Amino acid sequence: MDRSELIKLQSERLVKLVENVYNNVPPYRKKMDDAGVRPEDIKGVEDITKLPFTYKTDLRDNYPFGLFAVPMDKINRIHASSGTTGKQTVVGYTSEDLDVWTDCISRGLVSCGIEPGDMVHVAYGYGLFTGGLGVHDGATKLGCSVVPASSGNTARQVTLIEDFKPDAICCTPSYALFLGEELHKKGHTADDISLKVGIFGAEPWSEAMRTELEKSLGIKACDIYGLSEIMGPGVACECEERKGMHLQEDHFLVEVIDPETGEHVKEGESGELVFTTLTKQGLPLIRYRTKDISRVIYDKCACGRTTARILKPSGRSDDMLIIRGVNVFPSQVETVLMEFSETSPYYMIYVDRQNNHDTMEVKVEMNEAFFSDKISDINSLEARLKARLNSIIGLSIGVTLVEPGSLPRFEGKSKHVVDNRKI
Ligand code: DLL
C-alpha cells in the first residue's frame, strides 16, 4: 500500500476509533471533555495531536476493566503485565482483536523467513504474559508445527531442540543466548543445531548480541517488538533485511515525541514512541505513552514492504527494568520492603547478567531494633523477604540483609538500581 492510501485508511479508522471511545469508554469521554476536544474535531491523522495522551496510570486507575470498550461477554481473552505498583495492567481482546493479533504475528513470522510447515519452538512464557500465546496463535495460523515449550526448564528445552529439530525459535534474546550455551556444553555446534531463524524480543538487545546469537545458534536473529497495552508481540517485527522493525501501520498509528514536552520530534529523530490502536475493540487506546525511546524511519525497505520501521529501542524514559523478560519497577521492590517492620528504607537493587542469565539482588539494611548477629534470625527474615518478592514480582530475587548505615546515602535524588548488564 502506498503512503497516501495508507494515511487515508488510518484516518478513516482513527475517526471511528475516537467516536467509539467517546461513546463507550467513560474515562476517555472525560479526558476528551477536559481537553476540550469533541469526536467531530478529529477528521484524520493530521488531527491526532488534538487528542490527550494515555498513560499506564490510566490503566491502573481504571483497574481491572474500566477502559474496556465492549461488554465483558464480548471479551474473549485477558492478559496482564506488571504495573508500577503491585497491580497488574490488564488488557482484554475480543475475538476480532485476537484475529488481528494473530495476523500481525503471522506477517512478522513471514517477514523473518518462516514458512508454513516450519517447526517453531515457542519459549516465551505462556500465561498472562502476551509472549507465549501471542506467538503461538500467529505461528499456528501460518501453518507451522508449533512446539509450545513455554519458558523455563532449560534441560527440557535443550532436549526438545535436539530431538524435534525445530526450524525457528521464539524467546527473549537473553534466554536464547543461554540456550545456545547449554547446547554447546552438550557438544553441539552452530552447524549441527537445526534452527535457522530466531525471533527475539520482549527486552532490549544490541547488534553485538545479534552477532553473538547468530554465531552461537547458526541462525538469522530477528527483532520483534510489542507491548501488552497495545497488543502484545507483533506490533512491529523485522524482515530478513533486519534494518528496523516493520510497524503494522494499518492497525497502529505511531508518533515519536519529546518525552519532556510531548511535542513531535523531527522525522527520523529519537524520542518516545506513542501508539494509537486503530482497530482494537476490547481495549482501544489513544496516544499511549510507551516510555520506549526509539526512532521511526519511513524510507522504503529493500524487502519491498512500504511500512514505517521502528529502530531498536535504545532504552526507556522511566525506571522500568526488564529482567528475564519480566517487567519490574523498583517501586514494586520498595513496596514489599516497606511491608516488613524489621527493615529500614535503605536498599539497593543490583542487576547483572551471568552466563546470559539476568540476576537481581536486593540489599536492604536491617533497622537498629532488629539488627542482630543471630544468623538464624537473619536467615529467616531473608527467606520471608525473598518469598514475598517472588510472589509479588514473579521472579526469584536474591535478598541480603546488611548492617544499618552500610548502604550509600544520596544527596538529592537517590539511586536504587545498579544495572551491570552489558547488553
Ligand atoms: O514484552 C510483549 C512481547 C512479547 C514483545 C514477546 C516481543 C516478544 P510487555 O511485557 O508489556 O510486553 O513489555 C513491553 O517490553 O514497552 C519495551 O520496553 C520492551 N520490549 C518489548 N519488545 C522489545 C524489543 C511484551 N524488541 C515492553 N526491544 C516494551 C526492546 C522491547 N524492548
Side-chain angles (χ1 to χ4, degrees):
M1 200 180 254
D2 72 31
R3 285 221 77 78
S4 60
E5 231 182 306
L6 177 70
I7 288 169
K8 193 162 159 270
L9 178 73
Q10 289 183 319
S11 294
E12 284 164 15
R13 291 182 166 178
L14 179 67
V15 168
K16 279 199 199 134
L17 162 79
V18 172
E19 242 173 56
N20 177 23
V21 297
Y22 192 80
N23 293 325
N24 295 308
V25 188
Y28 261 124
R29 175 191 287 256
K30 176 161 189 324
K31 255 178 179 293
M32 284 174 59
D33 286 344
D34 290 350
V37 52
R38 304 215 19 107
E40 51 274 22
D41 298 333
I42 307 302
K43 300 199 168 58
V45 291
E46 65 284 2
D47 294 321
I48 188 79
T49 54
K50 293 180 183 163
L51 292 160
F53 289 119
T54 307
Y55 299 87
K56 205 174 180 98
T57 47
D58 289 308
L59 282 112
R60 195 177 72 209
D61 295 345
N62 294 288
Y63 173 88
F65 308 137
L67 290 183
F68 288 10
V70 295
M72 281 310 283
D73 64 358
K74 293 268 178 296
I75 294 289
N76 212 210
R77 174 92 68 77
I78 290 173
H79 282 281
S81 79
S82 352
T84 42
T85 63
K87 284 243 172 85
Q88 298 264 322
T89 301
V90 180
V91 297
Y93 305 75
T94 64
S95 66
E96 288 82 1
D97 291 337
L98 290 175
D99 286 345
V100 168
W101 188 12
T102 300
D103 277 348
C104 289
I105 296 273
S106 305
R107 289 179 188 176
L109 298 178
V110 168
S111 68
C112 293
I114 296 176
E115 293 176 350
D118 281 345
M119 185 182 287
V120 179
H121 179 107
V122 183
Y124 286 118
Y126 280 61
L128 286 175
F129 176 56
T130 52
L133 284 166
V135 172
H136 180 102
D137 287 347
T140 304
K141 173 150 189 202
L142 183 58
C144 300
S145 316
V146 186
V147 183
S150 193
S151 53
N153 200 342
T154 304
R156 191 186 60 185
Q157 307 261 5
V158 166
T159 309
L160 291 173
I161 295 170
E162 284 175 317
D163 296 350
F164 295 3
K165 307 205 182 322
D167 303 286
I169 184 163
C170 306
C171 61
T172 59
S174 54
Y175 192 58
L177 274 179
F178 184 55
L179 279 174
E181 233 175 39
E182 294 302 301
L183 282 159
H184 283 255
K185 271 191 205 155
K186 289 186 80 179
H188 295 287
T189 61
D191 290 338
D192 76 36
I193 297 170
S194 62
L195 299 166
K196 296 191 298 270
V197 183
I199 303 193
F200 307 124
E203 63 185 13
W205 55 300
S206 58
E207 287 302 328
M209 246 174 109
R210 191 195 308 263
T211 309
E212 184 77 25
L213 279 162
E214 299 199 330
K215 216 170 71 193
S216 160
L217 293 167
I219 52 167
K220 215 169 210 192
C222 300
D223 198 355
I224 185 166
Y225 171 85
L227 60 164
S228 329
E229 294 87 333
I230 295 305
M231 187 177 73
V235 171
C237 186
E238 279 183 343
C239 63
E240 289 181 272
E241 298 292 322
R242 292 162 306 145
K243 296 212 174 83
M245 297 178 274
H246 289 278
L247 173 65
Q248 306 298 349
E249 280 189 283
D250 45 346
H251 298 296
F252 310 104
L253 180 69
V254 69
E255 299 168 76
V256 187
I257 62 161
D258 175 333
E260 299 296 324
T261 64
E263 302 288 325
H264 283 179
V265 299
K266 287 208 195 82
E267 192 176 308
E269 278 183 7
S270 173
E272 180 181 339
L273 299 177
V274 173
F275 291 106
T276 297
T277 64
L278 294 172
T279 51
K280 276 265 284 296
Q281 301 179 348
L283 179 65
L285 292 180
I286 289 182
R287 305 193 83 199
Y288 183 72
R289 299 277 302 252
T290 64
K291 309 278 182 184
D292 289 321
I293 305 294
S294 184
R295 297 196 289 130
V296 175
I297 53 172
Y298 289 87
D299 47 330
K300 197 168 156 192
C301 180
C303 76
R305 289 178 182 80
T306 53
T307 46
R309 278 171 290 160
I310 297 177
L311 302 184
K312 268 188 175 304
S314 60
R316 292 186 53 90
S317 67
D318 66 2
D319 57 357
M320 186 177 93
L321 297 159
I322 305 182
I323 313 284
R324 282 175 251 146
V326 177
N327 302 346
V328 182
F329 290 91
S331 56
Q332 290 175 291
V333 173
E334 184 169 312
T335 308
V336 169
L337 298 178
M338 293 303 148
E339 290 171 9
F340 288 76
S341 60
E342 299 93 334
T343 58
S344 83
Y346 296 101
Y347 68 94
M348 288 295 292
I349 299 172
Y350 297 92
V351 182
D352 211 335
R353 184 163 283 175
Q354 285 158 5
N355 301 328
N356 298 316
H357 198 69
D358 291 339
T359 59
M360 185 164 169
E361 205 212 340
V362 176
K363 282 192 179 163
V364 57
E365 288 184 11
M366 295 170 264
N367 60 28
E368 292 287 353
F370 177 76
F371 181 43
S372 150
D373 50 12
K374 225 172 123 193
I375 298 283
S376 59
D377 289 354
I378 296 178
N379 285 350
S380 131
L381 178 58
E382 281 177 351
R384 281 186 291 130
L385 280 161
K386 209 169 163 337
R388 182 73 183 143
L389 283 168
N390 195 336
S391 85
I392 294 291
I393 298 173
L395 273 179
S396 164
I397 297 172
V399 177
T400 309
L401 289 164
V402 296
E403 281 180 34
S406 62
L407 290 177
R409 304 298 195 250
F410 298 95
E411 286 173 13
K413 244 185 183 329
S414 60
K415 185 171 183 277
H416 286 297
V417 181
V418 178
D419 192 340
N420 288 320
R421 290 176 296 183
K422 289 179 189 61
I423 297 174

